[in-house]
Amino acid sequence: MDRINILDYSPIFEGSNARDALLHTKNLAQLADSLGYYRYWVAEHHQVFSVAGSTPEMLMMQLAASISRIRIGSGGVMLPHYSAYKVAENFRMLEAFHPDRIDLGIGRSPSFRLVNKALNEAREKRLPYEQQVANLYKYLTDNTKEEHRIKDLAATPVIETVPQIWVLGRGAGSAKLAAAHGSAYAHFAPGSNSDGNEIIKEYRRNFKANSIQNEPEVMVAVFAIIAETTEEAENIAQAFDLWLLAVESGGQPPYYPSIKTAKERGRSIVEEEQVRKNRSRVIIGDSKQVKAGVEEVADKYQADEITIIPHFYNAENRMKGITLLAEELGLPGLRSLGFER
């Protein structure tokens, strides 16, 4: 597996604040760059008080300006909330400053009802997602040859390079859309979807090349918790378990809980069963175990790339975790840091 990536939610840890979280994301991205990770993506979450990532484009500009090599992307922009034209202009601006280093990951995950209302209150109607994706491609390729409802409209600045477009999803609909438009496809939460393998195969079979993407490309994203020992990783995972339980219950925790808080709270029998199910979505262990888990996921889904989501407590643990995994994987950046394998 040549390409290992990171998706960061910018967690706000218990006892810290949003500014701390965003500065930590910047530090983690700089470390990932030096270690040899291939992409660093940031998320879009609204009214989720335990994470600071709400506007990926703004955070991407900050990260790309402070890092020289790694590709910076969105994981992702929730396109139904926005004008495809404005998204195209935002990402062309990013690409203009950082050519051949920008990824535009798009998705359509619903937000809370009030968030949906706030994000869309100035719009008379919402276009179908499929139409928005078609519009986005039109704006980013300056395609005036094919018939289009706004054929002569250009997204500025007009530049020579194009961000790579990724359609994010878990189900067959997103993969089908990615194939039809010739987009790369990022498959999320593989452990929670038993049809994932067939979804990816269908994507590859039906892929239609275009001027941006010549052949199908698949990324699989999975949560990962890496520590020096299995015991330490399991200890850290207790905070992740509690955070995910809180989010899935419909509540919004005010922060990402500490390991101490998770231990003191404990779990009910029902919650224990839910944690067991959730663990299918995360690789937990020392660097050797996580490497084996990453390779297993890559082999199972025949993925071109794996993206880890190191959404675990705390800043120090995350910095150490991605370093341990990079060393185990022998990523190229380690040679410049004196880690010869």
Side-chain angles (χ1 to χ4, degrees):
M1 179 57 58
D2 296 327
R3 294 182 177 180
I4 302 292
N5 316 312
I6 289 174
L7 169 59
D8 187 6
Y9 290 178
S10 303
I12 303 173
F13 299 119
E14 183 176 346
S16 66
N17 57 43
R19 176 175 167 77
D20 293 335
L22 293 170
L23 291 175
H24 169 53
T25 281
K26 183 177 179 180
N27 291 337
L28 196 70
Q30 290 171 334
L31 177 60
D33 179 58
S34 68
L35 291 171
Y37 286 90
Y38 188 69
R39 305 179 197 271
Y40 196 96
W41 284 11
V42 291
E44 176 182 326
H45 290 104
H46 302 284
Q47 188 94 347
V48 180
F49 300 113
S50 57
V51 301
S54 58
T55 57
E57 303 97 323
M58 296 293 288
L59 185 50
M60 286 172 62
M61 183 63 86
Q62 180 69 233
L63 297 181
S66 65
I67 301 170
S68 61
R69 181 199 59 82
I70 199 168
R71 293 187 67 93
I72 301 295
S74 58
V77 170
M78 298 300 111
L79 191 56
H81 295 313
Y82 312 112
S83 155
Y85 184 65
K86 185 60 175 176
V87 171
E89 290 195 323
N90 283 342
F91 276 79
R92 276 196 158 178
M93 186 65 74
L94 280 161
E95 181 74 16
F97 276 104
H98 310 285
D100 296 317
R101 287 185 54 220
I102 300 300
D103 297 329
L104 169 52
I106 55 173
R108 55 176 165 185
S109 294
S111 296
F112 302 110
R113 183 180 61 83
L114 286 176
V115 170
N116 285 332
K117 181 179 179 180
L119 288 172
N120 294 280
E121 63 183 359
R123 299 165 64 184
E124 294 181 4
K125 63 178 182 179
R126 281 199 259 176
L127 293 174
Y129 182 52
E130 292 76 7
Q131 180 64 59
Q132 286 184 294
V133 174
N135 290 352
L136 193 62
Y137 267 91
K138 187 270 178 202
Y139 297 136
L140 289 174
T141 59
D142 296 313
N143 184 355
T144 58
K145 295 179 181 179
E146 296 180 12
E147 283 302 315
H148 192 277
R149 51 193 287 274
I150 33 184
K151 183 178 178 180
D152 297 324
L153 181 62
T156 55
V158 177
I159 55 177
E160 295 181 358
T161 58
V162 182
Q164 185 176 19
I165 302 176
W166 291 79
V167 170
L168 283 55
R170 299 181 182 181
S174 296
K176 183 178 179 181
L177 187 67
H181 286 280
S183 166
Y185 174 59
H187 186 68
F188 276 64
S192 63
N193 190 339
S194 59
D195 298 327
N197 211 318
E198 187 55 37
I199 287 169
I200 289 172
K201 287 179 180 178
E202 279 293 306
Y203 159 74
R204 290 190 184 279
R205 280 194 289 264
N206 296 315
F207 179 85
K208 296 179 180 179
N210 60 35
S211 60
I212 298 177
Q213 188 88 21
N214 293 323
E215 54 188 36
E217 190 170 351
V218 173
M219 168 198 299
V220 176
V222 61
F223 288 106
I225 299 174
I226 317 112
E228 288 187 353
T229 66
T230 306
E231 293 74 20
E232 185 181 354
E234 286 289 345
N235 192 45
I236 295 170
Q238 292 184 61
F240 171 80
D241 293 334
L242 179 56
W243 174 82
L244 195 53
L245 282 172
V247 171
E248 291 182 337
S249 70
Q252 278 306 320
Y255 46 73
Y256 190 110
S258 67
I259 300 167
K260 181 175 181 289
T261 293
K263 287 182 174 180
E264 289 178 348
R265 178 189 180 278
R267 295 193 290 257
S268 68
I269 295 174
V270 173
E271 288 175 333
E272 286 287 359
E273 176 61 20
Q274 187 59 45
V275 166
R276 187 188 65 78
K277 292 178 182 178
N278 286 340
R279 287 293 185 97
S280 68
R281 300 165 55 184
V282 56
I283 303 170
I284 303 170
D286 62 24
S287 57
K288 285 185 171 59
Q289 291 169 313
V290 174
K291 177 188 177 184
V294 163
E295 291 173 343
E296 182 181 350
V297 169
D299 183 63
K300 179 179 179 180
Y301 296 98
Q302 294 299 292
D304 300 297
E305 304 180 15
I306 295 293
T307 293
I308 63 164
I309 310 171
H311 194 60
F312 57 91
Y313 189 87
N314 54 19
E316 181 181 347
N317 289 334
R318 297 214 305 161
M319 301 281 274
K320 182 190 298 183
I322 70 165
T323 302
L324 289 169
L325 183 59
E327 183 179 0
E328 190 65 39
L329 291 167
L331 295 187
L334 289 160
R335 288 190 290 273
S336 64
L337 297 176
F339 288 89
E340 294 291 344
R341 293 184 62 82

